[in-house]
Amino acid sequence: MGNKVVVFSEEQLQDYQDCTFLTRKDILRIQKKFRNLATDIVPKSMTAGNVTSTVMLPLDTIVKLPELRENPFKRRICEVFSKDNTGNLTFDEFLDMLSIFSEEAPRDIKVFYAFKIYDFDNDNHIGNEDMCTALKILTVNELNAEEMNQVCSKAIEEADVDGDGKLSYMEFNHVILRSPEFFSTFHIRI
Amino acid sequence: MSGGERKKRISKGAGWEEAGGEFYQECYPGAELDIEHLPRDPHYFATLLPSKQNRAATTRRSRCDTKSTYKRCATNRSQNYSTMQQNTMQNDVHVAMMPDLSENLANEETTWEEMMLIKTMPINMSQKREIKAKLLSADTFRLQGLKQFKLKKRKLWEYLKVRRKELYKMIELWRQCFITIEGNFGTGVVAFFFFIKWLMFLNLTITVIIVCFVVVPTLLMQEKESDPCAQINDTSYECCPKIYFNSWTNLTITPYNILQGNGWLESTIMFYGYYPNSILENVILNYNLPLAYIATAAVYLLLSLCAMIKKAASGFKDRLMESEGQYYKYCSMVFGGWDFCISNESSAKIKHKAIYKEIKENLETERREEEKKNRNEEEELRFFFIRVFLNGISILICVFAGLLIFYTFQYSVGELQKDVHDDLHRLLLEFAPYLCIVGLNLVIPNILNYFVILENYSPISALRVAFFRTVILRLSSLGVLLASFFSLVRCTSDPATCSSPICQKPLCWETYIGQQIYKLLILDILSNAAITFLVNFPRMLLAKHLKCKFTQILGAQEFELPKHVLDVVYSQTLVWFGSFYAPLLPALATVLFFLVFYIKKFACLVNSSPSTTIYRASRSDSMFMSVLLVSFTVAVIPWAYTMTELEPSKSCGPYMGRLSVWSLIREFYNSFPSWVIFCFEGIVSSTFAVPTFFILILSLYYYYIVSKANKQMVNVLKKQLILEGHDKQFLLNRLSAFIKQHQERHKAIRSVDPPNNSN
C-alpha cells in the first residue's frame, strides 16, 4: 500500500517503544482507538509538530472508550494520568495510561498508580474518606451508612500499621502484595 | 560505589521525585542540622524519624533491585527477594571493578540499561522523552572488545524477546475469545477457559509421545516371527490371536461402528488389540514394542503429574499469600475487588452487585459467628441432626446410583451375549450403562445442591460442600464402572484355552475396556453439547423473550463454574485411564477439548448470565488443579493394579502370553548389567531405606519447626511494628509541642532584644 498515511514517524515509534510497555502494533492500535473517540479533533497523522502532546480530548470523550466505559473508577483514572488533574488527556498521556494497564507492566508501577487512583483527595494517604468513596463507587451506594463505616474502619484497621488512622504508600503496598487478585485484575487488555 | 553508578542513581531519583509525593523523597537531612535552621512546620519532623529513613532506604534499594534484575523481571515477575539482593551485589562488584576512565562517564551499557528503565518510571511521557534525549546526548564511554560484543548480544536478545512476544500474541490460540470472555465474566471464569486450553495442549503432547514411540514404529516395521499356527480351526493356546483376528470379519465402516468403537474401528491402531507382541525389526534397528508401550504409558502419566504439580505449585504460592491475606479481607475487597477487564454493561452491573453481596456476606459471617457463640444447645442439636440426616441421604443416593450403574452394566452385558440383530437396539444396549451414568451426573448434583440450602451452612462452606459431594458422586460412579469391568475381566479360565463359555470375558478384554471408555467419552461430550444447544439455549430464549415470572424462573441460568470444571475434569480422567487401552484416545480428546472450548464458550456467552458468586482467579486455579490431582489418582490406581495383577488377554496385544505386564518389566530389569542391579537392590534394601526414611522424617520435622518459628517471629515483628507506630505518634506529639515552645521562647527573646538579632 503505497499511499498509506504515515501515522507516526519512525523516531516517534521508537520513542514510544522505549518509554512504554507496548509493542509497535499496540501503539498503532491505540492511536486508532484514540482517533475513533473524536475523529474531528485528532488528525490522522500524528507526525506534525507536537500533536501528540497538545491535542487534548476532554474527559467525557475519553470515558467513552469501550475498555473504560464500564469501569467505575474511569474518571479518577483519567484524572490521575492527566497533567493538570482535570482528566483531559493528550495522546501521550492516553498512551501512558494504557501502558501502565498493560499486562507487561511490572507490579511496582501498577501499585504506584493504584495508590494514586485510590487516593481521591491527593493527600498522599488513603484515609477513611478515600476508602468510603471507593466503596461507594464499587457498590453503587447500596450499603447503608452503618455498614459502610463498619467496612471502612475494618479495612483501615487491618492495614494500618503505624496507628495514624490512614494508609501510607508503604502500608498500601504491603496490603496489595498480599492480595493475589490485584495483579490479575488490575489490567486492561487492548 | 563508582561515580557512574552514583550518577545513575541520582538521575533515576530525579524521575521518581518529579512524580511528587512525600513518600518518594530520596534523602532527608540528617541529625547534624540544628533546630534553628529548620522550617517552622512541625510536620517536617515526621521525615526525620528513623522509621521514615528506613522507608526511604527500602524504596531506594528496591528500585536498584528492579534495575539490576531488569533483564529477568521482564520475563519473570515473581522474583525472589534473596536473588535480587545477590544480583545487586554482583552488579556493584562488577561496576566497582571497571577502569577509572568510566568514573565520570557512563558507558554504553549503563546508558542502555537506563534507557530500558525509563518505562518503569512513574512520570509522564514528555519527561520520559526528555530523559531519553538527555541520555542520548550525554557523552558515553564506548565499550571495547568482548564487552561490546556482550552488550550487542544483550541488545539483540532483548529485541528478539520483544519480537517473540509480538509473534506469540499474533498466533496465540483463542486470544480474542479470552478477551471477550474476560470482558463479560471477569478473570475467574476466563481462568477456566485457560484451563481447557491447557488440558488440550497436555493431550496434544501425550498424543505426540504416543504416536512417536508406539504408533509410528508399529506402522513402519514388520513383525519378526512368522505365524506359528497355520490351520484356521486349531483351538490350541498358541492360536488365540488367530481366533481373535478372524473375528474381525465385518470391516465395513458404519456410523454405528464409529460410535461404538467396534467393527472396523476395532481393527485399527485406535485400540490395544492391534499392536503386536513381538520385537519389531527394521534394516537399522530392533524395536522392543511391548517395552516401549509400557514405558510410553509411564512417561506420559509422569509428564501429566509433573505438569499438574508445576501448575499447582504456582497456585499454591498464591494461596499461601492469600491465607495470610485473610487478615486483609476488607482491604482486598475494596482495592482488589473490581475487575478492570470488565467492559460489558450488564456484567459490570452484576459485578457491582457481586461485590455488594460479598461485603454483605462477610459482615453476615461475622454476625453469624457471634450468633453461633450465643446459640443455645437445643438449636445446635437440631442443626446437627439435620446435617447428619441429609448427609446420610446423600450417601444413600450415591450408593443407589452406584448400584444402578452396576446392574445396568450387568444387564447390558448379558443382553449383548444373545444375538441382537437390530443395529439401533444394539446401540442402545451398548450405551445403556453410559446413558445411565451421564443421566445420573446431570440429575443428582441438582438434588445435592438443594440439600445444601437446607443445611444452613455459611455461603462459602455451602459452595464447598456441594462441590465436594458432586466430585464424590462423579468419581464414585466412575469407580463403580471400573469395578464392573473388573468383575467381568477377573474370571480366569483354563490356561490352555482361549476363552471359556462360563466366563463372559471378551477375547481381548483390553480392547473391550478401551471401547467402553471411548464410548463413555464420546457420550459425555455429546450430552454436554446436546444440553447446551438443545436444552439450555431454548431456555435462555424463553427467558429473554417472554417476560413472565414463570419463564424467568425456568430460563434464567448462571454460569456455575464448579459444574463446568467437573465436566472437563471428568473427561480428562477417562483419557488418563483409557489411553493405555486405546492409544489414540488422547488424540481424540485433543479434538474433543477443542470442541468443548466452543461448547463452553457458547454456554458461557450466550446461555448464561454472570454468576453472582465471585470466582477469584487465584482460588479457581488451585481448585482446578486439586480436583484434577484427585481424579488423576482415581484414574491411575486402578490402572496400576491391572498392570501388576491381571493377566493380559491371550489373544491380542503386546503382552499376550505373559502373566502380567509387570513380569515384562522384571525381565527387562534382570537383563541389566549386574552392577546396576546391585546398586538398585542396595537402594531398595532395608539397611539403606530405613535410615533414609528416618532422615527424611527428621528433615521434614526440622522444616516444620523452622516454619513454625518463622510464623512466630512474624507475629512478634508485627506487634513490634505496631508498637513502634505508637511510639512514633507519641514522639511526634512531644516534638511538635517542644517546637512550639521553642518558637514562642524565640519570639519572646526577639521582642526583648531586637538589635542583637541584626548581627
Side-chain angles (χ1 to χ4, degrees), chain B residues 654-699:
Chain B
Y655 305 102
M656 57 179 133
R658 287 185 187 280
L659 274 177
S660 69
V661 180
W662 185 246
S663 66
L664 174 83
I665 297 171
R666 219 170 321 156
E667 218 170 80
F668 180 63
Y669 167 72
N670 286 334
S671 72
F672 278 151
S674 57
W675 62 271
V676 176
I677 297 180
F678 179 76
C679 288
F680 193 76
E681 261 164 18
I683 289 170
V684 226
S685 70
S686 58
T687 40
F688 188 81
V690 171
T692 321
F693 184 67
F694 269 108
I695 289 171
L696 274 181
I697 285 188
L698 278 181
S699 56

Coordinates of all heavy atoms in Angstrom, one line a residue, chain B residues 654-699:
Chain B
P654 N 0.4 -56.5 23.0 CA 1.8 -56.6 23.1 C 2.2 -57.6 24.2 O 3.3 -58.0 24.3 CB 2.3 -55.2 23.4 CG 1.2 -54.3 23.2 CD 0.0 -55.1 23.3
Y655 N 1.2 -57.9 25.1 CA 1.6 -58.7 26.3 C 1.0 -60.1 26.3 O 0.9 -60.7 27.3 CB 1.2 -58.0 27.6 CG 1.8 -56.6 27.6 CD1 1.1 -55.5 27.3 CD2 3.2 -56.4 27.8 CE1 1.6 -54.2 27.3 CE2 3.8 -55.2 27.8 CZ 3.0 -54.1 27.5 OH 3.6 -52.9 27.5
M656 N 0.5 -60.6 25.2 CA -0.2 -61.9 25.2 C 0.9 -63.0 25.6 O 2.0 -62.9 25.2 CB -0.8 -62.2 23.9 CG 0.1 -62.2 22.7 SD -0.9 -62.6 21.2 CE -0.4 -61.4 20.0
G657 N 0.4 -63.9 26.4 CA 1.2 -65.0 26.9 C 2.0 -64.7 28.1 O 2.7 -65.5 28.6
R658 N 1.9 -63.5 28.7 CA 2.6 -63.2 29.9 C 1.6 -63.3 31.1 O 0.4 -63.2 30.9 CB 3.1 -61.8 29.8 CG 4.3 -61.6 28.9 CD 4.9 -60.3 29.0 NE 5.9 -60.1 28.0 CZ 7.1 -60.6 28.1 NH1 7.5 -61.2 29.3 NH2 8.0 -60.5 27.2
L659 N 2.2 -63.4 32.3 CA 1.4 -63.5 33.5 C 0.8 -62.1 33.8 O -0.3 -62.0 34.2 CB 2.2 -64.0 34.6 CG 2.3 -65.5 34.7 CD1 3.2 -65.9 35.9 CD2 0.9 -66.1 34.9
S660 N 1.7 -61.1 33.6 CA 1.2 -59.7 33.8 C 2.2 -58.8 33.1 O 3.2 -59.2 32.7 CB 1.1 -59.3 35.3 OG 2.4 -59.3 35.8
V661 N 1.8 -57.5 33.0 CA 2.7 -56.6 32.3 C 3.9 -56.4 33.2 O 5.0 -56.2 32.6 CB 1.9 -55.2 32.1 CG1 2.8 -54.2 31.5 CG2 0.7 -55.4 31.3
W662 N 3.7 -56.5 34.5 CA 4.8 -56.3 35.4 C 6.0 -57.3 35.1 O 7.1 -56.9 35.3 CB 4.3 -56.4 36.8 CG 5.3 -56.1 37.9 CD1 5.8 -57.0 38.8 CD2 5.9 -54.9 38.1 NE1 6.7 -56.4 39.6 CE2 6.8 -55.1 39.2 CE3 5.9 -53.6 37.5 CZ2 7.6 -54.1 39.7 CZ3 6.7 -52.6 38.1 CH2 7.5 -52.9 39.1
S663 N 5.6 -58.5 34.7 CA 6.6 -59.5 34.5 C 7.6 -59.1 33.4 O 8.8 -59.4 33.5 CB 6.0 -60.9 34.2 OG 5.3 -60.8 32.9
L664 N 7.1 -58.4 32.5 CA 8.0 -57.9 31.4 C 9.0 -56.9 32.0 O 10.2 -57.0 31.6 CB 7.1 -57.2 30.3 CG 8.0 -56.5 29.3 CD1 8.4 -57.5 28.2 CD2 7.2 -55.3 28.6
I665 N 8.5 -56.0 32.9 CA 9.4 -55.1 33.4 C 10.5 -55.8 34.3 O 11.7 -55.4 34.2 CB 8.7 -54.0 34.3 CG1 7.7 -53.3 33.4 CG2 9.6 -53.1 35.0 CD1 6.7 -52.4 34.1
R666 N 10.1 -56.8 35.0 CA 11.0 -57.6 35.8 C 12.1 -58.2 34.9 O 13.2 -58.2 35.2 CB 10.3 -58.6 36.7 CG 10.9 -58.6 38.1 CD 10.1 -59.4 39.0 NE 8.7 -59.2 38.9 CZ 7.8 -60.1 39.2 NH1 8.1 -61.3 39.8 NH2 6.5 -59.9 39.1
E667 N 11.6 -58.8 33.8 CA 12.5 -59.4 32.9 C 13.5 -58.5 32.4 O 14.7 -58.7 32.3 CB 11.7 -60.0 31.7 CG 12.1 -61.3 31.2 CD 11.0 -61.8 30.2 OE1 11.1 -61.3 29.1 OE2 10.2 -62.6 30.6
F668 N 13.0 -57.3 32.0 CA 13.9 -56.3 31.5 C 14.9 -55.8 32.5 O 16.1 -55.7 32.2 CB 13.0 -55.1 31.1 CG 13.8 -53.9 30.5 CD1 14.5 -54.1 29.3 CD2 13.8 -52.7 31.1 CE1 15.2 -53.0 28.8 CE2 14.5 -51.6 30.6 CZ 15.2 -51.8 29.4
Y669 N 14.5 -55.7 33.8 CA 15.3 -55.3 34.9 C 16.4 -56.4 35.1 O 17.6 -56.0 35.3 CB 14.5 -55.2 36.1 CG 15.2 -55.1 37.4 CD1 16.0 -53.9 37.7 CD2 15.2 -56.1 38.3 CE1 16.6 -53.8 38.9 CE2 15.9 -56.0 39.5 CZ 16.6 -54.9 39.8 OH 17.3 -54.8 41.0
N670 N 16.1 -57.6 34.9 CA 17.1 -58.7 35.1 C 18.1 -58.7 34.0 O 19.2 -59.3 34.2 CB 16.4 -60.1 35.2 CG 15.7 -60.2 36.5 OD1 16.1 -59.6 37.5 ND2 14.6 -61.0 36.5
S671 N 17.8 -58.1 32.9 CA 18.8 -58.1 31.8 C 19.8 -57.0 31.9 O 20.7 -56.9 31.1 CB 18.0 -58.0 30.4 OG 17.5 -56.6 30.3
F672 N 19.6 -56.1 33.0 CA 20.6 -55.1 33.2 C 22.0 -55.7 33.6 O 22.0 -56.8 34.1 CB 20.1 -54.2 34.4 CG 19.2 -53.1 33.9 CD1 18.2 -52.6 34.8 CD2 19.2 -52.6 32.6 CE1 17.3 -51.7 34.4 CE2 18.3 -51.7 32.2 CZ 17.4 -51.2 33.1
P673 N 23.1 -54.9 33.4 CA 24.3 -55.4 34.0 C 24.3 -55.6 35.5 O 23.5 -54.9 36.1 CB 25.3 -54.3 33.6 CG 24.6 -53.3 32.9 CD 23.2 -53.7 32.7
S674 N 25.1 -56.5 36.0 CA 24.9 -56.9 37.4 C 25.1 -55.8 38.4 O 24.5 -55.7 39.4 CB 25.8 -58.1 37.7 OG 27.1 -57.7 37.5
W675 N 26.0 -54.8 38.0 CA 26.3 -53.8 39.0 C 25.1 -52.8 39.1 O 24.9 -52.3 40.2 CB 27.6 -53.0 38.6 CG 27.5 -52.3 37.3 CD1 27.9 -52.8 36.1 CD2 27.1 -50.9 37.1 NE1 27.7 -51.8 35.1 CE2 27.2 -50.7 35.7 CE3 26.6 -49.9 37.9 CZ2 26.8 -49.5 35.1 CZ3 26.3 -48.7 37.3 CH2 26.4 -48.5 35.9
V676 N 24.4 -52.6 38.1 CA 23.2 -51.8 38.1 C 22.2 -52.4 39.1 O 21.6 -51.8 40.0 CB 22.6 -51.6 36.8 CG1 21.3 -50.8 36.9 CG2 23.5 -50.9 35.8
I677 N 22.0 -53.7 38.9 CA 21.1 -54.5 39.8 C 21.5 -54.4 41.2 O 20.7 -54.2 42.1 CB 21.0 -55.9 39.3 CG1 20.4 -55.9 37.9 CG2 20.1 -56.7 40.3 CD1 20.2 -57.3 37.3
F678 N 22.8 -54.5 41.4 CA 23.4 -54.5 42.7 C 23.1 -53.1 43.4 O 22.6 -53.1 44.5 CB 24.9 -54.7 42.7 CG 25.6 -54.7 44.0 CD1 25.5 -55.7 44.9 CD2 26.3 -53.6 44.4 CE1 26.1 -55.7 46.1 CE2 26.9 -53.5 45.6 CZ 26.8 -54.6 46.5
C679 N 23.4 -52.1 42.6 CA 23.1 -50.7 43.2 C 21.7 -50.5 43.5 O 21.3 -50.1 44.6 CB 23.5 -49.7 42.1 SG 25.3 -49.5 41.9
F680 N 20.9 -51.0 42.6 CA 19.4 -50.7 42.8 C 18.9 -51.5 44.0 O 18.2 -51.0 44.8 CB 18.7 -51.2 41.5 CG 17.3 -50.7 41.5 CD1 17.0 -49.4 41.2 CD2 16.2 -51.6 41.8 CE1 15.7 -48.9 41.2 CE2 14.9 -51.1 41.8 CZ 14.6 -49.8 41.5
E681 N 19.4 -52.8 44.1 CA 19.0 -53.5 45.3 C 19.5 -52.9 46.6 O 18.8 -53.0 47.6 CB 19.5 -55.0 45.1 CG 18.3 -55.9 44.6 CD 18.8 -57.2 44.1 OE1 20.0 -57.6 44.4 OE2 18.1 -57.8 43.3
G682 N 20.7 -52.4 46.5 CA 21.2 -51.7 47.7 C 20.3 -50.5 48.1 O 20.0 -50.3 49.3
I683 N 19.8 -49.8 47.1 CA 19.0 -48.7 47.4 C 17.6 -49.1 48.0 O 17.1 -48.5 48.9 CB 18.7 -47.8 46.1 CG1 20.0 -47.1 45.7 CG2 17.6 -46.8 46.3 CD1 20.0 -46.5 44.4
V684 N 17.1 -50.2 47.5 CA 15.8 -50.6 48.0 C 15.9 -51.4 49.3 O 14.9 -51.6 50.0 CB 15.0 -51.5 47.0 CG1 13.6 -51.0 46.9 CG2 15.7 -51.4 45.6
S685 N 17.1 -51.9 49.6 CA 17.2 -52.8 50.8 C 16.9 -52.0 52.1 O 17.1 -50.8 52.1 CB 18.6 -53.4 50.8 OG 19.5 -52.4 51.2
S686 N 16.6 -52.8 53.1 CA 16.2 -52.1 54.3 C 17.3 -51.4 55.0 O 17.1 -50.3 55.6 CB 15.6 -53.1 55.3 OG 16.6 -54.1 55.6
T687 N 18.6 -51.9 54.9 CA 19.7 -51.2 55.5 C 19.8 -49.8 55.0 O 20.3 -48.9 55.7 CB 21.0 -51.9 55.2 OG1 21.0 -52.4 53.9 CG2 21.2 -53.1 56.2
F688 N 19.5 -49.6 53.7 CA 19.6 -48.2 53.2 C 18.3 -47.5 53.3 O 18.3 -46.3 53.7 CB 19.9 -48.4 51.7 CG 20.2 -47.1 51.0 CD1 21.5 -46.5 51.2 CD2 19.3 -46.4 50.3 CE1 21.8 -45.3 50.6 CE2 19.6 -45.2 49.8 CZ 20.9 -44.6 49.9
A689 N 17.2 -48.2 53.1 CA 15.9 -47.4 53.1 C 15.5 -46.9 54.4 O 15.0 -45.8 54.5 CB 14.8 -48.4 52.5
V690 N 15.7 -47.7 55.5 CA 15.2 -47.3 56.8 C 15.9 -46.0 57.3 O 15.2 -45.0 57.7 CB 15.4 -48.4 57.8 CG1 15.1 -47.9 59.2 CG2 14.5 -49.6 57.5
P691 N 17.3 -45.9 57.2 CA 17.9 -44.6 57.6 C 17.4 -43.5 56.7 O 17.2 -42.4 57.2 CB 19.4 -44.9 57.4 CG 19.5 -46.4 57.4 CD 18.3 -46.9 56.9
T692 N 17.3 -43.7 55.4 CA 16.8 -42.6 54.6 C 15.5 -42.1 55.0 O 15.2 -40.9 55.1 CB 16.7 -43.1 53.1 OG1 17.8 -44.0 52.8 CG2 16.7 -42.0 52.1
F693 N 14.6 -43.1 55.3 CA 13.3 -42.7 55.8 C 13.4 -41.8 57.0 O 12.7 -40.8 57.1 CB 12.6 -44.0 56.1 CG 11.1 -43.8 56.5 CD1 10.2 -43.3 55.5 CD2 10.7 -44.1 57.7 CE1 8.9 -43.2 55.9 CE2 9.4 -44.0 58.1 CZ 8.5 -43.5 57.2
F694 N 14.3 -42.3 57.9 CA 14.4 -41.5 59.2 C 14.9 -40.1 58.9 O 14.4 -39.1 59.4 CB 15.3 -42.2 60.2 CG 14.5 -43.1 61.1 CD1 14.6 -44.5 60.9 CD2 13.7 -42.6 62.0 CE1 13.9 -45.3 61.7 CE2 13.0 -43.4 62.9 CZ 13.0 -44.8 62.7
I695 N 15.9 -40.0 58.0 CA 16.5 -38.7 57.7 C 15.4 -37.8 57.1 O 15.3 -36.7 57.4 CB 17.7 -38.9 56.8 CG1 18.8 -39.5 57.5 CG2 18.1 -37.5 56.2 CD1 20.0 -39.9 56.7
L696 N 14.6 -38.4 56.2 CA 13.6 -37.6 55.6 C 12.6 -37.1 56.6 O 12.3 -35.9 56.6 CB 12.8 -38.5 54.6 CG 13.4 -38.6 53.2 CD1 12.6 -39.4 52.3 CD2 13.5 -37.2 52.6
I697 N 12.2 -38.0 57.5 CA 11.3 -37.6 58.6 C 11.9 -36.5 59.4 O 11.2 -35.4 59.7 CB 10.9 -38.7 59.4 CG1 9.9 -39.6 58.6 CG2 10.2 -38.3 60.7 CD1 9.3 -40.7 59.4
L698 N 13.2 -36.7 59.8 CA 13.8 -35.7 60.6 C 13.9 -34.3 59.9 O 13.6 -33.3 60.5 CB 15.3 -36.1 60.9 CG 15.3 -37.1 62.1 CD1 16.8 -37.5 62.4 CD2 14.7 -36.5 63.4
S699 N 14.3 -34.3 58.6 CA 14.4 -33.1 57.9 C 13.0 -32.4 57.8 O 12.9 -31.2 57.9 CB 15.0 -33.2 56.5 OG 14.3 -34.2 55.8

